[in-house]
Amino acid sequence: MSPAPRLNAVAYISFQNHPILVRTFVNNQRDDLKYHYVAHTSLDVIEERVLNLFNRFDSVAATKGGECYLGHLYSMEDLAVYGWISPSKLKIVIALALTDAVVKDKEILTIFKALHLAYHRALSNPFLRLDAPAEVLNDPAALLISGNARWKSLTKRVDAIGKAINDA
């Protein structure tokens, strides 16, 4: 049995390509900027993959087919980067430590489904927009600021998922 993959970072990116949350699971604080870079550079690959999906299929078939998992996006130094895009255009990017072991797509899909469910549960909080200023009601991008306190429940859930994966 192959060892479980080691999760180094998770990034949630909005449909407007704003980072909602970039969470790292490494002890080195200097790597925070590196994982922001990984999240932003993966946007180009995600955009290319999504365009290829819509060129291959018509838009109805692509959304009904459940083509959320984009697979391995690229490798960089000691990282393997994988992507996921939801039907609402939320992008989730994970960075795994490169190892000699084979990482199965089934394991990666399980991670993405757990992360997507965590986002859904955080977004389903009826009090998420309780103290939002009036300009936020017209442009919700202000709610999607990285590190916003409104996403505290999402941060807790992502930390729990990261701990479970890395302790396995």
Side-chain angles (χ1 to χ4, degrees):
M1 189 163 146
S2 65
R6 170 122 179 98
L7 185 64
N8 283 1
V10 173
Y12 288 88
I13 303 166
S14 74
F15 67 96
Q16 297 171 329
N17 293 337
H18 298 292
I20 297 171
L21 176 73
V22 178
R23 197 77 178 144
T24 60
F25 301 102
V26 292
N27 294 332
N28 190 353
Q29 294 296 337
R30 293 182 297 142
D31 284 342
D32 285 347
L33 185 60
K34 173 183 176 181
Y35 292 110
H36 276 271
Y37 173 76
V38 166
H40 285 286
T41 56
S42 64
L43 288 175
D44 293 332
V45 180
I46 289 173
E47 183 178 324
E48 181 181 320
R49 295 260 175 105
V50 169
L51 284 175
N52 285 340
L53 268 177
F54 281 106
N55 287 341
R56 246 186 329 176
F57 306 110
D58 63 338
S59 60
V60 175
T63 54
K64 285 186 178 179
E67 295 280 341
C68 292
Y69 177 58
L70 299 173
H72 180 260
L73 300 177
Y74 63 92
S75 295
M76 182 179 103
E77 297 172 5
D78 56 343
L79 297 174
V81 181
Y82 294 85
W84 169 282
I85 185 165
S86 73
S88 62
K89 306 270 190 288
L90 169 77
K91 298 157 199 80
I92 304 174
V93 176
I94 62 172
L96 301 177
L98 276 178
T99 60
D100 291 335
V102 175
V103 179
K104 297 178 182 172
D105 277 346
K106 190 167 91 172
E107 295 171 348
I108 303 298
L109 274 170
T110 304
I111 294 170
F112 276 123
K113 287 179 181 178
L115 291 170
H116 191 244
L117 182 62
Y119 176 78
H120 252 291
R121 287 188 176 160
L123 197 63
S124 298
N125 179 1
F127 303 107
L128 183 64
R129 300 177 88 183
L130 187 62
D131 59 346
E135 63 268 5
V136 170
L137 298 176
N138 297 331
D139 181 23
L143 283 176
L144 302 176
I145 296 171
S146 181
N148 194 324
R150 290 180 180 87
W151 297 104
K152 190 176 2 177
S153 65
L154 176 61
T155 303
K156 287 180 184 178
R157 286 184 173 101
V158 169
D159 286 345
I161 292 168
K163 185 176 178 353
I165 292 168
N166 290 336
D167 289 346

